[in-house]
Amino acid sequence: MVPFTSLSAVAVPLDQPNIDTDQIIPARYLGRPRAAQVDAMFHDLRFNPDGSSRGEFILNKPAFAGAKIVVAARNFGCGSSRENAVTVMLDNGFRAFIAPSFGDIFFNNCLQNGALPVKLDEARVAAIRQMLHQSPSRTISIDLATQSVTGPDGQTDRFDIDPFRKDCLLKGVDDVDLTLTYRNEIERFEAAQRQELPWL
Amino acid sequence: MLAQSMFEKIWRRHVVVDRDDGYALIYIDRHLMHDGSGAGFARLRERGLPLRRSDRAAATPDHYVPSRAGPQTDPHFAQTLEQMRRNTAAAHVTMFGLGDIRQGIAHVVGPEQGLTQPGLTLVCGDSHTSTHGALGALAFGIGSSEVFHVMATQCLWQRKPKAMRISVEGSLASGVTAKDVILAIIAKIGAAGAVGHVVEYAGSAIRSLSIEGRLTVCNMSIEAGARAGMIAPDDTTIAYLQGRPFAPAGENWDKAVAFWRSLRSDEEATFDREVTLKAEDIAPMVTWGTSPEDALPITGRIPDPASESDTLRKEAMRRALDYMGLVPGTPLQELAVDHVFIGSCTNSRIEDLRAAASVVKGRKARVSSWVVAGSGLIKQQAEAEGINKIFQDAGFEWREPGCSMCVGMNGDIGQPGQRIASTSNRNFVGRQGRGVRTHLMSPAMAAAAAICGHFSDVRRLTA
Ligand code: SF4
């Protein structure tokens, strides 16, 4: 996993609430290898059925080219557990998502892949989206160590993140190696369970 | 000791390591695998790690299996299925493969085989794993990295979710089903209404549901954003589990029953949030938009964004109506359908098929209509009861078990612009194919739509 420390980049506003992972990557692309999924990100919003680009969709606007941050509305990434929704965004250059709330599984999948999901107050997120619409291609800075986000207006907000997940992101390590250091605890649990629930 | 909720009791029993920052390492009792779990096996191989507990895993292909009889002919999907067969065989995982009568949708097969039991933690790389909570398990969906983590360690790092109780009190009117209950709940609390929470469904209307109805309710917990949904085990649960292949037997049975009975929430248990609905207020429901929260009673009309004050919501409604090709004010019952799909892990069990068949019996479908049973065993049972005959005589297609048109990953998709009455759980944009308009409803309501050619109130057809 690539570490996440800090990021200063163009941010793109997505106003729709409840953007589901079927939107982020339609199911028909899931069977492909990761390298062949890159163009599938928001496919049906980015492309017409004939394959031409939908200029009106915000991710197709030149002002947002090179964006690395998404500023979304509530419940971003709800729906299907497909982790491809995170990886396809990473493979298109995105590293951080700011929203008032996230689908729980999408949120966890971000943390497993070196992407940072940031929860901020709903009114503040709406205000940031508004600024980005008014003057596109403005940047947002995120610093994980200090857990802060600085918006296009220079206002800095703090965000919460679990210390455990923060540590994994900063170091770029996944949690399997850490968990394997608890082998004895796991074995003890299993021995006790064999006594208690012998039918399992 | 402090009063505990059922969720609390099950959570505490599974803590392997408690960190002081609020994270806990939780033991996972069962892992269900499907044909999308291949990435986990690949990562085990990369890291040179074994599958820790093959005895706690079970697998069945569902997303990529064809719904017409015969083998998968698409070479890519066939390869995915073959890879799954090899992965599970090499790791000694119990597999209900293609051609095995027990094969089906993972969330249908788990309970049917008795793999799902009260008090267990259960995961699957699929968001509708919440289904299994109907039997009193703590069951939730995970992504492929966490699938790999469970494969390697049989555990997961989790922050303890909050607890929420949704009570439905009273008795459901005739023609109103579990699907209508959960659609009414989501319409009330919203698609993000339960984010970060484990929901316990309670109240007399929930207790009076069969296990099949409870599975339908818990299945759609994720559509309200919930981490999991669960229902306390009771006599109905115990009767359902008795004699199932993977359920405890002999002297273990009594031991298990005593354990299961201890799991219900204590009388004094408190919840972070409580919501109550009156069963009498719930009517047969239909969704009109592109989020499961966009649900209305069948007697309703397409809502008007102009009367919505929240600007985000107004814009979302406009987009949804545009995608769905709908005009505000139109009565739901006037909407013509192009196709009907009865199936998915929400509504493909024998009671669902019986309910739909009782509406269809002696009538003819006016539009192309499919029935896709949730498992081979359900299909067999329906055939033994003559249910397939009722559907086929009415012009329905009687297809092979799997996810099929719920998500269309096997190629079962609709045409752009088609309006589909579907018993599945997601009406997302493009879910059943690009440009396809999905309306969610119960099996009886989907059957009524097939017979009438438009949405209609099943209570009028069966009166
Ligand atoms: S039936 Fe639909 S919702 Fe259920 S597991 Fe299959 S694709 Fe997912």
Side-chain angles (χ1 to χ4, degrees):
Chain A
M1 181 166 109
V2 206
F4 188 104
T5 50
S6 63
L7 176 68
S8 200
V10 170
V12 58
L14 295 178
D15 294 332
Q16 238 183 309
N18 300 323
I19 290 184
D20 56 75
T21 55
D22 274 81
Q23 298 294 294
I24 300 175
I25 180 166
R28 59 186 187 277
Y29 299 105
L30 297 181
R32 296 184 178 185
R34 180 166 168 176
Q37 289 178 347
V38 180
D39 285 340
M41 182 189 71
F42 284 107
H43 185 279
D44 295 351
L45 289 164
R46 280 163 70 215
F47 302 104
N48 288 308
D50 65 5
S52 58
S53 172
R54 290 181 70 234
E56 70 272 29
F57 183 57
I58 193 150
L59 284 175
N60 288 338
K61 298 198 169 154
F64 296 106
K68 288 185 167 38
I69 300 170
V70 167
V71 185
R74 67 172 175 268
N75 209 19
F76 184 70
C78 63
S80 160
S81 61
R82 58 190 71 166
E83 198 156 309
N84 319 64
V86 174
T87 55
V88 79
M89 299 282 301
L90 283 172
D91 294 345
N92 278 275
F94 291 95
R95 289 302 305 278
F97 307 96
I98 301 173
S101 60
F102 292 89
D104 284 329
I105 306 177
F106 179 86
F107 188 87
N108 288 342
N109 288 343
C110 283
L111 299 169
Q112 297 284 347
N113 285 280
L116 179 67
V118 174
K119 282 185 216 168
L120 290 183
D121 167 71
E122 182 143 23
R124 176 64 184 154
V125 179
I128 296 177
R129 285 201 310 269
Q130 193 59 37
M131 289 174 229
L132 296 172
H133 282 298
Q134 273 159 5
S135 33
S137 59
R138 297 189 57 185
T139 60
I140 289 179
S141 301
I142 303 174
D143 184 57
L144 179 55
T146 58
Q147 298 176 219
S148 59
V149 179
T150 306
D153 56 351
Q155 179 182 320
T156 296
D157 294 276
R158 297 247 321 149
F159 62 89
D160 286 331
I161 182 165
D162 285 305
F164 175 64
R165 292 298 173 197
K166 177 177 173 179
D167 201 43
C168 290
L169 279 174
L170 285 170
K171 294 187 185 134
V173 293
D174 74 30
D175 43 11
V176 168
D177 288 329
L178 173 78
T179 310
L180 290 173
T181 65
Y182 289 105
R183 191 165 274 140
N184 292 339
E185 284 82 351
I186 298 172
E187 279 169 10
R188 232 177 293 137
F189 180 96
E190 288 174 331
Q193 198 184 50
R194 258 192 300 279
Q195 297 296 314
E196 232 185 329
L197 311 177
W199 60 88
L200 270 192
Chain B
M1 201 163 81
L2 269 178
Q4 291 181 331
S5 67
M6 168 171 53
F7 157 62
E8 186 98 29
K9 291 182 190 182
I10 300 175
W11 175 271
R12 288 209 182 177
R13 294 184 68 92
H14 289 89
V15 174
V16 178
V17 177
D18 218 347
R19 284 168 57 108
D20 45 18
D21 62 6
Y23 254 70
L25 189 65
I26 295 296
Y27 197 78
I28 302 301
D29 296 325
R30 279 239 203 274
H31 182 187
L32 293 182
M33 299 170 179
H34 57 80
D35 43 15
S37 304
F41 281 107
R43 284 178 68 180
L44 279 182
R45 281 193 294 271
E46 267 166 41
R47 295 276 278 265
L49 292 166
L51 177 67
R52 184 177 172 86
R53 293 294 300 264
S54 56
D55 59 325
R56 294 297 183 83
T60 188
D62 47 15
H63 292 75
Y64 290 105
V65 301
S67 69
R68 30 151 197 74
Q72 179 52 274
T73 47
D74 178 292
H76 185 76
F77 299 156
Q79 195 196 335
T80 303
L81 295 171
E82 173 56 17
Q83 186 64 45
M84 178 191 186
R85 198 193 57 72
R86 275 199 231 132
N87 281 338
T88 50
H92 307 289
V93 170
T94 301
M95 164 83 160
F96 312 115
L98 266 190
D100 186 324
I101 190 77
R102 299 169 298 178
Q103 176 268 333
I105 306 171
H107 309 314
V108 171
V109 171
E112 185 171 82
Q113 290 298 320
L115 288 159
T116 310
Q117 296 169 18
L120 303 188
T121 48
L122 183 152
V123 298
C124 173
D126 188 278
S127 57
H128 291 101
T129 309
S130 59
T131 311
H132 305 265
L135 291 155
L138 176 58
F140 52 91
I142 53 178
S144 57
S145 292
E146 291 189 320
V147 163
F148 160 59
H149 192 283
V150 172
M151 285 177 167
T153 68
Q154 204 59 30
C155 293
L156 273 180
W157 290 102
Q158 297 279 302
R159 163 172 292 283
K160 192 174 160 203
K162 293 193 189 128
M164 176 168 175
R165 179 161 60 189
I166 299 179
S167 306
V168 188
E169 300 288 357
S171 26
L172 296 171
S174 126
V176 179
T177 67
K179 182 64 161 284
D180 305 305
V181 171
I182 189 63
L183 285 173
I185 289 172
I186 300 166
K188 182 178 168 100
I189 68 173
V195 166
H197 290 75
V198 167
V199 174
E200 176 174 346
Y201 300 96
S204 51
I206 298 291
R207 280 196 302 276
S208 70
L209 292 174
S210 66
I211 292 300
E212 311 217 333
R214 296 178 190 186
L215 289 161
T216 301
V217 169
C218 289
N219 174 270
M220 290 189 70
S221 303
I222 180 74
E223 307 316 331
R227 195 78 187 99
M230 55 203 315
I231 295 173
D234 58 7
D235 291 344
T236 308
T237 320
I238 290 162
Y240 175 89
L241 280 164
Q242 192 154 30
R244 302 221 167 236
F246 290 84
E251 58 183 273
N252 279 333
W253 173 255
D254 295 333
K255 219 172 151 179
V257 168
F259 166 57
W260 296 343
R261 289 205 188 275
S262 73
L263 292 167
R264 54 191 292 191
S265 292
D266 297 334
E267 213 63 61
E268 305 296 314
T270 54
F271 292 81
D272 299 290
R273 229 184 119 197
E274 294 250 22
V275 173
T276 305
L277 278 81
K278 277 214 276 256
E280 288 77 12
D281 294 346
I282 303 174
M285 302 288 282
V286 175
T287 63
W288 54 267
T290 54
S291 164
E293 70 184 19
D294 302 332
L296 282 174
I298 177 67
T299 48
R301 288 167 183 269
I302 302 300
D304 190 349
S307 57
E308 179 62 49
S309 52
D310 179 280
T311 47
L312 265 189
R313 176 81 191 133
K314 194 192 287 268
E315 187 46 36
M317 280 172 79
R318 270 208 198 97
R319 276 185 221 237
L321 292 181
D322 182 48
Y323 179 82
M324 296 296 289
L326 294 172
V327 179
T330 314
L332 283 168
Q333 302 197 58
E334 281 178 13
L335 296 179
V337 295
D338 302 303
H339 183 76
V340 172
F341 171 66
I342 296 174
S344 89
C345 57
T346 319
N347 283 124
S348 63
R349 286 167 282 266
I350 190 72
E351 285 180 14
D352 299 318
L353 305 190
R354 286 183 193 138
S358 74
V359 175
V360 166
K361 195 168 186 175
R363 297 176 164 122
K364 291 272 183 246
R366 289 181 188 241
V367 296
S368 73
S369 301
W370 289 15
V371 183
V372 181
S375 72
L377 285 168
I378 293 168
K379 182 164 182 268
Q380 187 181 50
Q381 164 93 29
E383 287 169 356
E385 295 180 19
I387 286 175
N388 62 317
K389 191 90 181 37
I390 295 175
F391 283 121
Q392 284 164 326
D393 287 349
F396 281 68
E397 283 191 41
W398 180 248
R399 299 177 74 96
E400 301 299 313
C403 297
S404 180
M405 205 178 246
C406 172
V407 68
M409 278 163 74
N410 67 346
D412 291 348
I413 53 172
Q415 296 303 310
Q418 262 193 338
R419 195 174 298 290
I420 301 185
S422 179
T423 65
S424 53
N425 42 43
R426 287 190 172 139
N427 52 350
F428 295 164
V429 169
R431 174 78 177 181
Q432 295 185 303
R434 186 168 185 161
V436 174
R437 296 153 172 170
T438 304
H439 295 263
L440 306 176
M441 62 195 75
S442 73
M445 286 284 289
I451 297 308
C452 301
H454 55 84
F455 299 151
S456 78
D457 192 335
V458 66
R459 294 172 297 189
R460 293 215 309 234
L461 275 184
T462 47

